[in-house]
Amino acid sequence: MEGQQSEVVLFGTWASAYCTRIHLALKLKGIPYEYVEEDLGNKSESLLYYNPVHKKVPVLVHKGKAIAESLVILEYIDECWTNTPRLLPEDPYERAKVRFWVDFYDKKVTAGSLSIFKSKGKEQEKAIEDMVELLRVFEEGMKKDFPGKFPFFNGETLGLVDIVVASVACNYLAVHEVVSEVISPKNNPDFLAWVDALKEHPVVKDTLPPHDKLVADLRERFFSSGY
């Protein structure tokens, strides 16, 4: 579409964890890119052109070709720019395990976090209990499949699992302020230690949305809309 001058363009929204993932990957790889902030209440013609199927962010446009869906984009980045750090291991079995746990986190943990916001009272308490159990399963599974790799999954650099976890879980203090404590040292100590270590990574620090702004956004989206 005319008007896009940069070789790499990311269409996203500032509060989206799915978009944060792409920012993290591009920055870690040292890939220059143009960022276009979208208003999802008034989507641009460019976004609708590049993602006519789902009509949502993130969308990465590389040399005029569009890639949609955050996990697809992350793998595309790793395959297209093969410089270090690599987001996925070289070994096929290790790659398969990474994909399994990323899929688990996305479909179970990320989805479960939304149910916490969309519920109240006893129903919300149950959603938080379910989340604690999901995090325990994730935590134990990661320790079993990748022993000795905490706090960072991929040694000193961030890999695909780190990026996916960081984009969501590193905002846990905002969730606690808006709803209730979900991640605690009592229930998920190793997971929390991992997340706190991820928060200190300079690229993560530079990329996460501002805490106060995110708190205000969460309150507006979930409580002003009737949840």
Side-chain angles (χ1 to χ4, degrees):
M1 193 169 184
E2 293 183 5
Q4 299 300 329
Q5 302 297 324
S6 301
E7 182 174 292
V8 180
V9 182
L10 172 61
F11 291 83
T13 57
W14 70 269
S16 167
Y18 299 104
C19 298
T20 297
R21 297 173 180 182
I22 313 307
H23 284 294
L24 288 171
L26 292 169
K27 290 178 181 180
L28 287 165
K29 290 276 193 177
I31 302 167
Y33 67 101
E34 176 186 347
Y35 175 63
V36 178
E37 175 72 16
E38 282 287 332
D39 175 3
L40 297 185
N42 184 26
K43 298 173 184 177
S44 70
E45 290 185 10
S46 294
L47 176 62
L48 299 177
Y49 173 83
Y50 285 123
N51 191 4
V53 176
H54 296 302
K55 301 179 176 64
K56 61 183 182 180
V57 293
V59 175
L60 187 77
V61 180
H62 180 213
K63 296 181 178 178
K65 297 177 180 179
I67 306 97
E69 299 299 300
S70 66
L71 296 182
V72 176
I73 296 170
L74 290 172
E75 292 215 30
Y76 175 85
I77 289 171
D78 203 37
E79 291 171 0
C80 191
W81 288 273
T82 57
N83 58 297
T84 55
R86 296 307 303 269
L87 306 184
L88 281 154
E90 295 292 339
D91 180 78
Y93 180 58
E94 295 295 306
R95 289 169 74 91
K97 289 193 293 183
V98 166
R99 289 188 175 110
F100 174 86
W101 286 112
V102 165
D103 183 72
F104 177 90
Y105 195 88
D106 242 19
K107 290 181 178 177
K108 299 293 186 180
V109 178
T110 304
S113 65
L114 288 175
S115 69
I116 292 172
F117 281 103
K118 294 181 179 182
S119 57
K120 295 180 180 178
K122 294 293 183 182
E123 188 178 326
Q124 189 177 79
E125 290 176 11
K126 178 63 167 58
I128 292 173
E129 289 175 6
D130 291 344
M131 174 60 65
V132 169
E133 178 60 19
L134 285 171
L135 290 175
R136 186 196 63 78
V137 171
F138 180 75
E139 180 181 85
E140 293 302 317
M142 288 293 296
K143 286 192 288 185
K144 178 177 178 292
D145 280 352
F146 308 104
K149 299 231 177 141
F150 284 94
F152 292 139
F153 165 71
N154 193 24
E156 295 181 357
T157 62
L158 303 187
L160 187 64
V161 182
D162 298 292
I163 288 172
V164 169
V165 170
S167 65
V168 179
C170 284
N171 296 311
Y172 74 89
L173 291 177
V175 176
H176 290 183
E177 188 168 334
V178 174
V179 183
S180 180
E181 184 177 75
V182 178
I183 306 174
S184 73
K186 177 184 176 182
N187 294 322
N188 306 106
D190 291 336
F191 181 78
L192 182 59
W194 182 19
V195 170
D196 283 339
L198 287 169
K199 285 175 63 179
E200 293 304 310
H201 190 284
V203 176
V204 176
K205 268 187 172 182
D206 181 61
T207 306
L208 290 176
H211 173 82
D212 291 343
K213 187 178 179 182
L214 183 59
V215 167
D217 179 74
L218 290 172
R219 285 179 172 150
E220 173 66 23
R221 280 194 289 153
F222 290 102
F223 295 119
S224 297
S225 55
Y227 289 127

